[in-house]
């Protein structure tokens, strides 16, 4: 784009010169003093641009016998009465004046340009004579092309200026492109310049009232402009452009390398996301199994709590029995039935304490963190491996976030990759959220470990108390059995026995209080364990959400990898394109210089001789000028007969008409 703008600068100056030349061309032709023949070609066109007739005014600036050549249907002397002889296309005349002007009507009715003019009213094509006086939306299209049946030198070396004059009272809201616009009285004058060897497509639209239009005029002259263009500014800009192209190529290759690294990382990320998805699936299954195990432990605790009433009731019976014995002994009376009842109650308590001890031992085994990991492992999830994998994934995500951030910073200000930059930014945010989720997952695993270790410690302390209670009661039960046996044989020394029973009764009151505290502790454990059950339910819900999130993450990373692959392919194409662009523009300075020389060659004087438009036999041609016009589009009564008009001109008016100054 810079190249085009740079080349256009000298061309703009040339066009200004061309416009100036056209505006004074007739005066220049009239003021030249060098010797030679001049030809002014007058062409009258039909409304549609087809040639109607062509006249050539031949101008000589010498006296004496003049010989000229041309295929004319008729000739006439325009300024004197000297007879002109025409035999076999050879024209002979003896000129007694300083200048000779003679006119010839050409047999060959062709011009260097094929001109087509079309008229449309309200988007429908009409012959112009059919819309005279009508109103509507008018469009005029003028198409100028090379006439390949004519001498191509004129098309390649002559510029053509097209001029339309529109009455501003009749034509409103006039629109066109590429015209020089001027106000000429009440008319708007539109001038279009067609350079040598170039055609033109002219279009002009307007709202018209009672359509009429003056003739369309065209002037063609050969451009002889000596121009010395300083190309240093252009070449300097081109050198800057080459440096920029080199930087662009290097940048494209750097982007390609970065995209390659990003592409490799995306494959690892997809693999890691897949592992995370599979791990979260196994974790979810393990947590479901854990939830079931915790619910089973809760059922066991409820059963254990139900048996607490047997212990407390039995202990209450023993306590009541001891009181009865104490009361009976105080009366020095002991019943064998009471002793049997005492032994039976003690045996029931011992059995219940043993069962409680076994239940607490089972509870202790089932609530350890190691047992939790074992259960999870049986269901396909290694907690330690998951925790380690989470740590590796955290590290990998941190690295990937850093890599994506670096890539994002590289392309965020590149307009062509605005969409890819937005996708990278969204992925960075997603990965940051996933990173928080995985860190939270590790924190949940650590919290579960701490909670289960604390619970296991509490149950271990409870088990120690239960074990101690079992051992102590075993001794107590043995003592009761021995007491019962001894009492069944020995019913003597009742005072001593009564004192022992009294002491036993006091001790048992303390033991009964311990039994109540123990059963209350079991009840508190059940109340606390309900929190574990609720936590397990919440953990199961969170695990399901985590699995859903990791599955979405895997899908997203797979889509991201696909997008990064496309980005990498695009950067490869970009690098290849910039490389080809760099290679293709390596000699652009030479090409521009040649192009400028080629353009200037159309306008500069290359000292080539001007050819005669009439006949190749004519030599020493100073200039050839074309004056082309259409008929004015007017009502019949407003159009003056052209031949009558010619005949009414005096000599001075004829000279002015030759140069278009009348």
């Amino acid at each position: 784009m810079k190249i085009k703008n740079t080349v256009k600068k000298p061309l703009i100056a040339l066009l200004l010169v061309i416009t100036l030349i056209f505006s004074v061309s007739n005066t220049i032709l009239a003021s030249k003093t060098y010797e030679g023949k001049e030809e002014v070609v007058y062409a009258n066109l039909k409304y549609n641009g087809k040639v109607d007739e062509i006249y050539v005014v031949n101008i000589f600036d010498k006296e004496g016998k003049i010989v000229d050549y041309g295929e004319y249907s008729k000739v006439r002397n325009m300024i004197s009465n000297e007879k002109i002889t025409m035999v076999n296309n050879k024209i002979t005349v003896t000129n007694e004046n300083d200048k000779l002007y003679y006119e010839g009507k050409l047999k060959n009715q062709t011009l260097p340009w094929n001109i087509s003019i079309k008229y449309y009213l309200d988007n429908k094509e009409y012959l112009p004579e059919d819309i005279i006086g009508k109103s509507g939306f008018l469009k005029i299209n003028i198409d100028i092309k090379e006439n390949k049946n004519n001498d191509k030198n004129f098309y390649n070396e002559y510029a053509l200026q097209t001029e339309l004059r529109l009455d501003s009272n009749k034509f409103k809201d006039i629109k066109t492109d590429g015209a020089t616009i001027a106000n000429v009285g009440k008319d708007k004058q539109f001038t279009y310049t067609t350079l040598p060897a170039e055609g033109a497509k002219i279009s002009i639209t307007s709202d018209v009232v009672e359509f009429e239009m003056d003739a369309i005029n065209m002037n063609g002259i050969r451009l002889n402009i000596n121009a010395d263009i300083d190309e240093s500014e252009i070449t300097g800009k081109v050198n800057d452009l080459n440096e920029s192209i080199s930087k662009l190529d290097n940048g494209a290759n750097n982007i390609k390398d970065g995209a390659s690294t990003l592409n490799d990382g995306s494959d690892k990320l997809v693999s890691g996301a897949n592992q995370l998805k599979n791990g979260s699936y196994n974790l979810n299954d393990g947590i479901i199994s854990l939830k079931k195990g915790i619910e089973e432990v809760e059922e066991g605790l409820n059963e254990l709590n139900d048996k607490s009433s047997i212990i407390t009731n039995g202990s209450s019976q023993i306590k009541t029995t001891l009181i009865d014995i104490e009361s009976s002994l105080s009366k020095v009376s002991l019943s064998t039935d009471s002793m049997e009842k005492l032994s039976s109650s003690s045996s029931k308590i011992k059995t219940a304490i043993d069962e409680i001890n076994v239940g607490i031992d089972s509870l202790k085994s089932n609530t350890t963190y190691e047992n939790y990991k074992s259960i999870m492992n049986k269901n396909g999830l290694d907690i330690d491996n998951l925790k380690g994998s989470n740590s590796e994934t955290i590290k990998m995500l941190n690295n990937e976030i850093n890599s994506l951030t670096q890539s994002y910073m590289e392309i965020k200000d590149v307009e062509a990759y605005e969409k890819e930059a937005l996708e990278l930014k969204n992925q960075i945010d997603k990965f940051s959220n996933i990173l928080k989720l995985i860190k939270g997952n590790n924190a949940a695993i650590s919290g579960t470990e701490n909670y289960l270790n604390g619970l296991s410690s509490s149950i271990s302390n409870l088990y120690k108390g239960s074990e101690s209670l079992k051992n102590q009661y075993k001794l107590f039960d043995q003592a009761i059995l021995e007491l019962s046996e001894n009492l069944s044989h020995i019913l003597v020394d009742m005072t001593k026995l009564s004192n022992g029973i009294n002491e036993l009764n006091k001790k048992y009151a303390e033991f009964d209080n311990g039994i109540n505290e123990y059963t209350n502790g079991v009840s508190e454990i059940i109340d606390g364990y309900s929190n574990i059950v609720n936590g397990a339910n919440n953990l199961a819900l969170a695990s399901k959400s985590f699995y859903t999130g990791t599955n979405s993450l895997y899908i997203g990373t797979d889509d991201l990898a696909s997008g990064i692959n496309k980005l990498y392919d695009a950067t490869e194409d970009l690098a290849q394109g910039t490389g080809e662009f760099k290679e293709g523009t390596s000699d652009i300075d030479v090409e521009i210089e040649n192009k400028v020389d080629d353009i200037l060659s159309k306008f500069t004087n290359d000292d080539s001789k001007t050819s005669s438009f009439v006949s190749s036999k004519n030599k020493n041609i100073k200039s050839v000028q074309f004056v082309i016009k259409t008929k004015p589009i007017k009502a019949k009564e407003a159009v003056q007969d052209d031949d009558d008009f010619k005949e009414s001109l005096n000599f001075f008016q004829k000279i002015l008409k030759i140069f278009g100054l009348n």
Side-chain angles (χ1 to χ4, degrees):
M1 191 175 291
K2 290 182 179 178
I3 298 172
K4 293 181 179 178
N5 289 339
T6 307
V7 174
K8 284 182 178 178
K9 288 182 179 179
L11 292 182
I12 292 172
L14 289 174
L15 291 175
L16 291 174
V17 174
I18 292 168
T19 304
L20 182 60
I21 288 173
F22 271 120
S23 65
V24 299
S25 61
N26 294 326
T27 305
I28 291 173
L29 288 172
S31 64
K32 287 182 178 178
T33 60
Y34 53 81
E35 294 183 355
K37 176 191 174 184
E38 298 176 68
E39 296 177 355
V40 181
V41 182
Y42 290 91
N44 294 324
L45 304 182
K46 299 177 181 179
Y47 292 135
N48 61 3
K50 300 295 183 181
V51 175
D52 188 14
E53 56 184 3
I54 299 177
Y55 293 87
V56 179
V57 175
N58 299 278
I59 306 170
F60 294 87
D61 55 358
K62 69 175 184 177
E63 298 179 12
K65 184 179 180 180
I66 294 174
V67 177
D68 197 27
Y69 298 90
E71 295 184 17
Y72 299 114
S73 60
K74 63 180 180 177
V75 294
R76 70 184 180 95
N77 193 327
M78 299 179 67
I79 63 172
S80 68
N81 294 322
E82 282 88 356
K83 183 179 179 181
I84 298 177
T85 302
M86 182 174 62
V87 179
N88 295 328
N89 300 326
K90 181 179 180 180
I91 296 92
T92 305
V93 62
T94 300
N95 181 34
E96 296 179 356
N97 300 303
D98 293 336
K99 282 186 176 290
L100 172 68
Y101 295 85
Y102 87 85
E103 179 189 73
K105 183 176 181 180
L106 284 178
K107 293 180 181 179
N108 181 16
Q109 304 291 302
T110 63
L111 291 170
W113 304 273
N114 280 332
I115 301 170
S116 171
I117 306 174
K118 294 184 178 181
Y119 298 83
Y120 300 85
L121 188 65
D122 295 329
N123 297 319
K124 183 178 179 181
E125 184 177 359
Y126 288 93
L127 295 175
E129 57 267 32
D130 293 337
I131 55 174
I132 295 174
K134 294 185 178 181
S135 304
F137 177 72
L138 177 71
K139 180 168 71 171
I140 303 173
N141 287 345
I142 303 174
D143 191 5
I144 302 173
K145 297 180 180 178
E146 178 185 6
N147 183 358
K148 297 184 179 179
N149 295 323
N150 203 282
D151 188 346
K152 67 178 181 180
N153 289 330
F154 291 98
Y155 180 79
N156 291 331
E157 297 176 5
Y158 281 63
L160 192 65
Q161 185 181 58
T162 304
E163 177 186 290
L164 288 83
R165 285 192 182 186
L166 303 178
D167 186 344
S168 59
N169 293 326
K170 292 180 176 292
F171 294 84
K172 306 292 184 181
D173 193 20
I174 305 170
K175 295 180 181 179
T176 188
D177 292 326
T180 301
I181 305 173
N183 291 311
V184 182
K186 64 182 180 62
D187 296 338
K188 286 282 188 182
Q189 178 176 288
F190 298 86
T191 304
Y192 306 85
T193 300
T194 305
L195 296 179
E198 294 185 7
K201 288 184 179 294
I202 299 170
S203 180
I204 186 166
T205 63
S206 172
D207 293 325
V208 65
V209 178
E210 297 180 354
F211 171 67
E212 283 187 337
M213 194 175 78
D214 291 335
I216 299 174
N217 296 305
M218 299 180 183
N219 293 313
I221 64 169
R222 185 182 184 193
L223 295 183
N224 291 323
I225 304 171
N226 290 323
D228 186 12
I229 303 300
D230 183 6
E231 299 176 358
S232 61
E233 181 181 355
I234 298 175
T235 56
K237 295 296 183 182
V238 171
N239 291 334
D240 293 341
L241 175 63
N242 282 333
E243 291 180 5
S244 299
I245 291 172
S246 180
K247 292 179 181 179
L248 175 64
D249 185 51
N250 293 334
N253 282 290
N254 290 335
I255 292 176
K256 173 189 171 185
D257 293 339
S260 177
T261 302
L262 183 63
N263 190 41
D264 294 339
S266 67
D267 292 338
K268 295 179 182 178
L269 179 63
V270 171
S271 177
N274 188 40
Q275 292 178 1
L276 179 63
K277 181 192 74 171
N278 294 334
S280 65
Y281 177 79
N282 294 332
L283 173 64
N284 187 57
D285 283 350
I287 289 176
I288 291 174
S289 299
L290 173 65
K291 177 174 173 286
K292 291 180 180 179
I294 290 174
E295 290 174 347
E296 291 175 357
V297 171
E298 183 185 30
E299 292 178 1
L301 285 174
N302 288 330
E303 292 179 1
L304 184 63
N305 188 50
D306 292 340
K307 294 182 178 180
S308 294
S309 60
I310 299 174
I311 297 174
T312 54
N313 291 335
S315 178
S316 178
Q317 292 179 4
I318 292 174
K319 184 178 179 182
T320 302
T321 303
L322 287 174
I323 292 173
D324 291 341
I325 292 172
E326 182 181 9
S327 177
S328 299
L329 286 174
S330 65
K331 299 177 182 178
V332 196
S333 174
L334 187 60
S335 164
T336 301
D337 293 336
S338 295
M339 292 305 299
E340 290 178 355
K341 186 176 182 181
L342 176 62
S343 297
S344 176
S345 298
S346 179
S347 178
K348 291 180 181 179
I349 291 174
K350 178 178 177 298
T351 300
I353 290 174
D354 288 341
E355 291 177 354
I356 289 173
N357 187 257
V358 171
I360 293 174
D361 182 57
S362 175
L363 179 63
K364 181 183 70 172
S365 300
N366 290 331
T367 55
T368 63
Y369 180 69
E370 293 299 322
N371 186 63
Y372 162 75
K373 290 197 297 182
S374 176
I375 293 173
M376 298 298 284
N377 192 44
K378 288 178 181 179
N379 287 276
L381 178 63
D382 189 335
I383 295 297
D384 292 334
N385 186 42
L386 174 62
K387 190 173 182 181
S389 176
N390 282 351
S391 299
E392 290 178 2
T393 302
I394 290 170
K395 182 178 179 181
M396 180 183 69
L397 285 175
N398 280 324
N399 293 336
E400 196 62 29
I401 289 171
N402 292 334
S403 176
L404 290 175
T405 301
Q406 183 178 357
S407 298
Y408 169 74
M409 297 301 295
E410 289 178 355
I411 68 173
K412 70 172 185 175
D413 296 325
V414 180
E415 185 177 357
Y417 295 107
E418 182 179 357
K419 181 178 179 181
E420 286 79 0
L422 181 59
E423 290 179 356
L424 287 175
K425 182 64 172 62
N426 291 335
Q427 289 302 323
I428 291 170
D429 294 338
K430 286 183 179 180
F431 288 167
S432 298
N433 293 332
I434 294 300
L435 183 62
K436 293 179 181 179
L437 182 61
I438 295 175
K439 287 182 178 180
N441 181 251
N442 266 7
I445 292 173
S446 298
T448 302
E449 180 180 0
N450 293 334
Y451 182 84
L452 291 177
N453 287 338
L455 179 62
S456 178
S457 177
S458 298
I459 295 176
S460 295
N461 293 332
L462 180 63
Y463 175 76
K464 290 179 181 179
S466 174
E467 184 72 14
S468 176
L469 175 64
K470 183 186 78 171
N471 294 332
Q472 291 177 4
Y473 195 82
K474 181 178 180 181
L475 295 175
F476 184 79
D477 181 65
Q478 185 64 34
I480 289 177
L481 291 175
E482 292 177 355
L483 175 62
S484 177
E485 183 176 349
N486 290 332
L487 286 176
S488 63
H489 299 287
I490 303 171
L491 296 176
V492 294
D493 201 0
M494 297 304 297
T495 301
K496 184 177 180 179
L497 179 59
S498 177
N499 291 335
I501 291 298
N502 289 339
E503 186 64 24
L504 179 61
N505 192 19
K506 292 178 182 179
K507 296 294 182 181
Y508 194 81
E510 296 176 1
F511 178 76
D512 184 62
N513 290 333
I515 289 288
N516 290 326
E517 291 177 358
Y518 163 74
T519 54
N520 291 334
V522 171
S523 178
E524 290 176 359
I525 288 175
I526 291 174
D527 293 338
Y529 200 80
S530 63
N531 294 329
I532 297 177
V533 175
N534 293 333
N537 290 330
N538 294 333
L539 181 60
L541 293 175
S543 176
K544 184 177 181 181
S545 298
F546 178 62
Y547 170 68
T548 302
T550 55
N551 189 53
S552 299
L553 171 64
Y554 170 70
I555 295 173
T557 51
D558 189 57
D559 292 340
L560 173 63
S562 177
I564 291 174
N565 287 333
K566 293 180 181 177
L567 173 62
Y568 175 68
D569 292 339
T571 56
E572 275 194 324
D573 293 340
L574 174 64
Q576 181 180 356
T578 55
E580 293 174 356
F581 183 41
K582 180 180 178 182
E583 181 180 354
T585 56
S586 60
D587 58 349
I588 193 172
D589 52 343
V590 178
E591 293 181 8
I592 290 177
E593 183 176 356
N594 293 336
K595 186 62 176 179
V596 171
D597 292 340
D598 181 59
I599 294 173
L600 291 179
S601 68
K602 298 179 181 179
F603 311 132
T604 58
N605 187 356
D606 58 1
D607 296 327
S608 63
K609 294 182 179 180
T610 301
S611 301
S612 170
F613 179 73
V614 178
S615 173
S616 61
K617 294 180 180 181
N618 295 328
K619 308 298 180 184
N620 194 23
I621 305 300
K622 287 196 299 185
S623 68
V624 176
Q625 179 184 359
F626 295 87
V627 179
I628 306 168
K629 63 186 296 185
T630 66
K631 292 182 178 181
I633 306 173
K634 303 283 187 179
K636 290 184 179 181
E637 60 271 14
V639 179
Q640 185 176 8
D641 183 81
D642 191 52
D643 291 333
D644 294 340
F645 179 67
K646 288 182 188 176
E647 297 298 329
S648 67
L649 296 177
N650 60 31
F651 173 75
F652 182 70
Q653 289 172 329
K654 290 180 180 179
I655 296 299
L656 292 178
K657 179 173 177 62
I658 290 172
F659 295 101
L661 299 176
N662 59 324

